[in-house]
Amino acid sequence: MLNVGKIEEGFVLDHIKAGKSLSIYHHLQLDKLDCTVAIIKNAKSNKMGKKDILKVECDIDMLDLDILAFIDHNITVNVIKDGDIVAKKELLLPKEIKNVIRCKNPRCITSIEQELPHIFVLADEEKEIYRCKYCEEKYLERS
Ligand SMILES: [Zn+2]
């Protein structure tokens, strides 16, 4: 595997669907954090053919696992401390997500009341369906 520098403390997100690393980078707001990020695109994978990998050097607590799980819960999260993998975190679909996606129903109260947070709740865990907390509009496209 391609090695882009060794991380002392942070995390490596492995098994990202090829081409999705940039979208995850933005969703995790890594552009706003003062940390070192390596994006590896189209790495060879036995399991997936091609995959993306994100290496992030920063305080482990800064990672929002809920957002990550919502985007793709098949991503492997390796926690790095003192240069070694100390833990692998399992991603579980969050029961509720706030201000990550927006409700597209024009009649939803969130379209009218701009200051309301956009909250979606997990309506069907097996089918991974989220619905708006206010109007129950289904969220269709996964980013
Ligand atoms: Zn709604």
Side-chain angles (χ1 to χ4, degrees):
M1 195 179 95
L2 182 70
N3 193 1
V4 184
K6 208 175 168 185
I7 291 179
E8 278 306 310
E9 183 174 347
F11 38 85
V12 176
L13 308 180
D14 202 355
H15 302 112
I16 299 170
K17 276 195 202 105
K20 287 285 177 194
S21 53
L22 265 180
S23 143
I24 287 167
Y25 175 85
H26 288 293
H27 272 293
L28 292 176
Q29 305 199 313
L30 294 173
D31 51 333
K32 296 191 181 91
L33 299 178
D34 184 24
C35 55
T36 308
V37 181
I39 297 174
I40 299 153
K41 288 180 76 175
N42 297 324
K44 280 199 190 97
S45 162
N46 292 332
K47 214 159 60 172
M48 306 166 70
K50 270 184 199 171
K51 65 176 179 183
D52 286 3
I53 302 164
L54 266 181
K55 292 185 175 190
V56 187
E57 189 160 50
C58 73
D59 195 334
I60 294 155
D61 298 328
M62 282 158 83
L63 180 69
D64 191 333
L65 290 173
D66 277 357
I67 291 179
L68 199 60
F70 170 72
I71 298 168
D72 184 353
H73 62 98
N74 294 313
I75 293 169
T76 310
V77 181
N78 299 305
V79 180
I80 315 288
K81 253 195 173 148
D82 302 319
D84 291 314
I85 297 174
V86 292
K88 281 179 190 278
K89 279 190 190 281
E90 210 180 314
L91 292 175
L92 299 169
L93 280 174
K95 296 269 176 266
E96 190 178 286
I97 44 161
K98 203 168 159 184
N99 292 330
V100 179
I101 46 174
R102 300 179 74 83
C103 183
K104 292 199 176 102
N105 176 6
R107 284 169 302 172
C108 179
I109 187 148
T110 55
S111 319
I112 303 150
E113 307 270 344
Q114 301 287 332
E115 69 277 12
L116 272 180
H118 287 248
I119 299 170
F120 278 73
V121 288
L122 183 59
D124 187 329
E125 198 164 349
E126 220 159 280
K127 292 183 185 140
E128 299 178 26
I129 292 168
Y130 281 86
R131 288 183 187 279
C132 174
K133 195 180 176 178
Y134 308 98
C135 70
E136 302 207 327
E137 175 94 340
K138 202 164 140 185
Y139 181 73
L140 294 171
E141 48 178 289
R142 296 297 209 100
S143 47

